[in-house]
Amino acid sequence: MGEYLQYSNVHEEVANKVNKISVSEHDRDILRDLAKRWMEIAKSDEMKERKRLWKALKDLKPVRPMVLFETLSVAGFITEDDLQCQDKLLRNVEKTMLYSIRHYDMLNDDIVIEEYFRVAWHVTKSDYGVKIVEHHAENSMAYKSNFPIQTTDDFNKLKKRTFKVDRENTLALKNVLEEIFGDILPVRVGNYDNFFPELGFTPFTGNNFIGITMDLFKLIGYDNMLLWTYDHPDILHKFLRYLCDDRIQFYKWLKDEGLLDFNTDNQFAGPSSYGYVSSLPEADSEREPDLKDVWGWPESQETTPVSPKMFDEFFLPYIAEVANMFGMTYYGCCEPLHDRIEYIMKALPNLRTVSVSGWSDLAKMGEILGKNYVYSRKPNPAFISGKNPDWESAEKDMRDTYNATKNGCLEVIVRDVYDIDGDIPRLRKWVDMTKSVLGL
């Protein structure tokens, strides 16, 4: 998830001006027109059918493979020139709506648009007692942390984090949007976005991202993370215990504050993976949700170089302790899992969906997962990126996926495509190619 870290700074100046929004007729007309189109799509029979198919897949009773392309990271899919609203917060809302509508109109994949617009709670977190500072390369997703914990003695610098929710501004934005288009498109508030905390634009709402090893890496650096398994195992366990307790505290706080919401709709149960499933409450359920009612998302990309046994000894127990608080989990992101998936399956009885990245042994993963888990295939984004896409390799990638998962529970989700040299039609071409390979 490194590609989204550049958005992690909360824009307080935006939050503080919600109550000062003066909605112009121009902005109102723009958003009402988008709301009409949004609701037209959401009410279609096509959306009802897609929701049925996604739920069947997550119920391990697939009707067919499901295909989804994450357009959020694609350069030029939505630009500032595409946005017409004058108010900054309303431009955020416009951008959210435009991403979904344009995606539906252009790609022909299995995107779902629900019959409501969701506003995420504006949640902020204190630091760990030390500040993680990320230095980003110009015009690049590459970044470097300052790694504030340099020695084992620095553990004493860590403090218990605190969390806050800005109810006033979150509800004020909800009220503004209800006044603008509530008669067309209902507005709901719930959950939070771990990666995009700006009010109005929170496309990753619903992902209960655990990220223990991500923050461990940012705090102590890779050298310490790997070497301390040998040199200071007790201290490494101490750090992991601290981060595990931090996550437990945070998710209990979300529940106690009434911020938690069901994510069994088109919110992300994992990285761009929908949460439709029968064994958790529907998103329309009126009762207060518990952590056992929602999806969680554990992963550990940073421990890829660690042996499976060492991963199981040092890192997995803490990840699992948090993940097992949830009713169901989606495991993984970009890391290969074929050498450690059996440890993960044993540690997570609530595991339902597993990420299978381009660095995985596709056939081995298909054999291990079988029909007992959803095989969430992440195609290699390099094949369709840059100035000259490699269509031959992209098609082979999908054929290898199909051969590895015949009669299995398959979703194909393209992520991490950034530069496409301005060739937006390329996205639809990939979708059509993949559907053809999968016999859809």
Side-chain angles (χ1 to χ4, degrees):
M1 289 303 302
E3 65 271 26
Y4 297 120
L5 298 178
Q6 63 176 320
Y7 298 99
S8 62
N9 293 324
V10 177
H11 299 275
E12 294 292 350
E13 74 279 3
V14 177
N16 290 334
K17 61 174 282 190
V18 175
N19 287 319
K20 299 178 182 179
I21 289 180
S22 177
V23 183
S24 67
E25 287 301 316
H26 173 270
D27 286 5
R28 182 186 301 275
D29 290 344
I30 295 297
L31 293 183
R32 285 184 66 82
D33 285 345
L34 287 173
K36 290 173 185 176
R37 177 61 179 147
W38 178 295
M39 193 55 113
E40 178 184 16
I41 298 168
K43 284 183 170 292
S44 68
D45 291 339
E46 186 177 30
M47 288 300 106
K48 294 182 178 64
E49 176 64 5
R50 287 183 187 176
K51 283 186 273 190
R52 183 185 75 85
L53 294 173
W54 278 110
K55 180 178 282 190
L57 174 68
K58 296 299 169 70
D59 287 347
L60 305 179
K61 300 175 182 178
V63 176
R64 64 166 175 84
M66 303 300 287
V67 178
L68 198 60
F69 199 119
E70 184 185 281
T71 56
L72 194 61
S73 61
V74 177
F77 190 75
I78 299 292
T79 68
E80 284 299 309
D81 290 340
D82 293 321
L83 304 177
Q84 300 179 58
C85 282
Q86 297 162 343
D87 180 87
K88 185 173 181 179
L89 267 178
L90 297 184
R91 281 173 75 86
N92 283 347
V93 174
E94 179 189 7
K95 181 163 61 172
T96 299
M97 301 177 85
L98 201 54
Y99 259 108
S100 292
I101 292 170
R102 183 169 293 184
H103 186 142
Y104 172 82
D105 287 338
M106 296 183 66
L107 267 68
N108 194 36
D109 63 0
D110 291 313
I111 186 177
V112 174
I113 297 177
E114 287 282 6
E115 295 179 28
Y116 41 83
F117 183 87
R118 185 177 294 276
V119 174
W121 290 109
H122 190 247
V123 170
T124 56
K125 309 170 188 177
S126 69
D127 61 35
Y128 289 107
V130 294
K131 289 189 180 296
I132 296 173
V133 180
E134 296 164 9
H135 303 282
H136 290 267
E138 187 176 353
N139 298 321
S140 171
M141 295 295 178
Y143 78 97
K144 180 180 179 180
S145 171
N146 63 326
F147 307 132
I149 300 296
Q150 297 291 318
T151 70
T152 56
D153 290 339
D154 288 339
F155 180 82
N156 296 322
K157 296 179 180 179
L158 299 177
K159 296 179 181 178
K160 187 175 182 179
R161 288 202 299 176
T162 58
F163 317 109
K164 294 181 180 180
V165 56
D166 187 345
R167 296 182 188 276
E168 180 181 357
N169 279 301
T170 302
L171 294 175
L173 177 60
K174 177 179 183 286
N175 292 338
V176 168
L177 297 183
E178 285 180 328
E179 191 277 329
I180 294 174
F181 56 66
D183 58 319
I184 304 170
L185 176 64
V187 182
R188 294 186 181 181
V189 62
N191 284 327
Y192 79 110
D193 191 322
N194 187 75
F195 298 101
F196 294 82
E198 271 200 90
L199 276 169
F201 185 69
T202 49
F204 263 69
T205 300
N207 77 94
N208 292 307
F209 177 73
I210 295 171
I212 286 177
T213 57
M214 174 181 282
D215 279 6
L216 178 67
F217 159 73
K218 291 189 205 176
L219 285 167
I220 72 175
Y222 234 150
D223 287 350
N224 286 338
M225 193 177 86
L226 298 178
L227 292 176
W228 287 359
T229 58
Y230 293 96
D231 296 338
H232 305 287
D234 291 344
I235 293 295
L236 183 58
H237 277 294
K238 196 173 180 180
F239 270 93
L240 287 162
R241 179 74 261 164
Y242 164 81
L243 289 169
C244 178
D245 289 344
D246 172 83
R247 299 310 194 264
I248 292 171
Q249 176 197 2
F250 175 65
Y251 286 114
K252 286 183 176 179
W253 175 83
L254 282 179
K255 179 184 181 301
D256 292 344
E257 290 290 325
L259 310 178
L260 196 67
D261 201 2
F262 303 104
N263 56 359
T264 46
D265 54 4
N266 66 342
Q267 296 179 83
F268 290 153
S272 292
S273 180
Y274 294 148
Y276 298 100
V277 70
S278 296
S279 50
L280 296 178
E282 297 281 347
D284 289 330
S285 299
E286 294 184 0
R287 69 176 178 82
E288 192 74 19
D290 187 80
L291 289 167
K292 287 296 184 183
D293 296 325
V294 301
W295 289 84
W297 173 22
E299 52 78 64
S300 188
Q301 300 170 83
E302 297 75 21
T303 56
T304 297
V306 175
S307 73
K309 287 186 178 180
M310 190 172 284
F311 170 71
D312 185 50
E313 176 186 351
F314 281 93
F315 304 99
L316 184 56
Y318 301 99
I319 296 169
E321 186 174 344
V322 182
N324 286 330
M325 297 171 67
F326 296 94
M328 200 162 281
T329 54
Y330 177 113
Y331 192 95
C333 193
C334 299
E335 72 269 39
L337 296 175
H338 55 267
D339 64 347
R340 60 199 64 198
I341 183 59
E342 290 173 300
Y343 288 105
I344 295 166
M345 290 160 58
K346 183 178 180 180
L348 300 180
N350 59 0
L351 180 64
R352 177 56 57 93
T353 306
V354 178
S355 178
V356 184
S357 74
W359 291 267
S360 296
D361 183 324
L362 304 186
K364 185 176 181 180
M365 288 294 286
E367 180 181 345
I368 294 172
L369 298 180
K371 297 182 179 181
N372 298 317
Y373 303 91
V374 176
Y375 187 110
S376 185
R377 178 72 175 98
K378 306 292 178 50
N380 189 331
F383 297 146
I384 57 171
S385 299
K387 190 171 185 178
N388 300 301
D390 184 352
W391 290 109
E392 183 178 345
S393 294
E395 183 172 343
K396 181 181 183 302
D397 194 31
M398 287 300 93
R399 292 195 183 282
D400 290 344
T401 298
Y402 178 73
N403 291 332
T405 60
K406 283 182 178 177
N407 302 317
C409 303
L410 173 64
E411 65 181 21
V412 180
I413 302 178
V414 182
R415 304 191 66 238
D416 303 317
V417 173
Y418 304 115
D419 176 21
I420 56 171
D421 197 40
D423 182 17
I424 300 298
R426 183 186 305 180
L427 312 184
R428 171 64 182 266
K429 181 177 179 180
W430 182 91
V431 172
D432 291 343
M433 178 273 294
T434 296
K435 284 187 170 184
S436 176
V437 170
L438 299 179
L440 304 180

